[in-house]
Every structure is written in structure tokens, then in C-alpha cells.
Amino acid sequence: RQSAIQMVHTAAPFTMTVGAAPGPGDIVWKNIGRDHRAELVGKVTGSVLTMTLCLFWTFLTSFVTILGKVDSLVKLLPFLEKWTEKFPQLGSLLLQVEPLILVILISLLSSILLFFAKQEGLVSKSQLQASL
């Protein structure tokens, strides 16, 4: 049975591949019935978006890390120097900005990657989750 599920039933590529059907609640209906060209464009688009995100993510996290230093923030925003001298607790508070922004970015990452995976044309939500 398992080999029959995984078997390709035609010699023409991309015509028909047999697999276990997902449950009705697990189907991404928008991706059903797409032709091969649309699937190929979606896969290329998803890959390009993912690579772009990797590059952008590197620069974004580096920028947030640099801004996480109180000295860097004071250089960027000179008015903070007077405030940190007047209120020393503000320096401790500013040190917490970097981890908070990084946590927010990481929580957004799964939504961004899920959007990219939907572009690839996967037909079930379990496939989408597995691709993350």
C-alpha cells in the first residue's frame, strides 16, 4: 500500500503524483488546481523571497544589536545623553530594548515564512507547517 501511494503513475513528469490525501480541514483550497507553471513560479518566488529574507534578516538583526548598546543610542540620539545622566535607570531600560525587538522579530518570522511557503503552492496546512 505504501509503495502505491508514493508511486508516479505516468511517464510524463509533473502530470500526476499520488500521495495520501489530507483531511478536508487541512487543505489550503487556494492552492488546489494550480497548473504546473503556476506551481513552478510559486516555488521560485518562495525561494527568492526566502533568500532575500535571509540577507535582510542578517542586516536587520545586526542593526538591532548595534542599537541595543546605550552608547550607540546616545550617539544616534544625542538628547538621550542628558536623559541618561538625569535618570540613570533609563540606561537599564534602554538595555532591554534590544532583546525585546529581537523577540518581536523572531515572533514575526514564522508568519513571514508561512506566507512564503503558501506562495510555493503546498496543498495542506501540515505541509506548510513542516516547511517552516
Side-chain angles (χ1 to χ4, degrees):
R1 180 181 184 280
Q2 188 65 23
S3 64
I5 289 174
Q6 297 173 356
M7 195 177 296
V8 176
H9 284 231
T10 181
F14 307 114
T15 304
M16 179 173 37
T17 304
V18 178
D26 193 35
I27 295 175
V28 179
W29 291 102
K30 184 181 118 183
N31 291 341
I32 298 294
R34 293 173 68 181
D35 62 354
H36 173 65
R37 183 180 178 137
E39 284 182 21
L40 188 60
V41 168
K43 287 180 183 180
V44 169
T45 302
S47 296
V48 168
L49 288 173
T50 303
M51 286 187 286
T52 304
L53 178 67
C54 288
L55 290 172
F56 178 71
W57 194 264
T58 302
F59 292 115
L60 184 63
T61 54
S62 299
F63 179 71
V64 169
T65 303
I66 290 169
L67 285 182
K69 312 287 186 253
V70 176
D71 297 339
S72 300
L73 282 173
V74 168
K75 286 180 186 174
L76 184 65
L77 305 168
F79 66 89
L80 285 177
E81 184 173 6
K82 294 177 187 174
W83 288 7
T84 53
E85 290 172 1
K86 193 172 186 179
F87 305 105
Q89 299 86 0
L90 183 61
S92 299
L93 183 66
L94 290 174
L95 286 174
Q96 300 304 313
V97 170
E98 175 197 0
L100 288 174
I101 293 175
L102 288 175
V103 165
I104 291 169
L105 287 174
I106 289 171
S107 66
L108 290 174
L109 184 61
S110 63
S111 299
I112 294 168
L113 290 174
L114 185 62
F115 172 76
F116 293 171
K118 284 181 181 178
Q119 302 305 310
E120 293 178 6
L122 299 173
V123 295
S124 72
K125 294 174 186 170
S126 56
Q127 288 176 331
L128 288 172
Q129 290 298 322
S131 72
L132 294 179

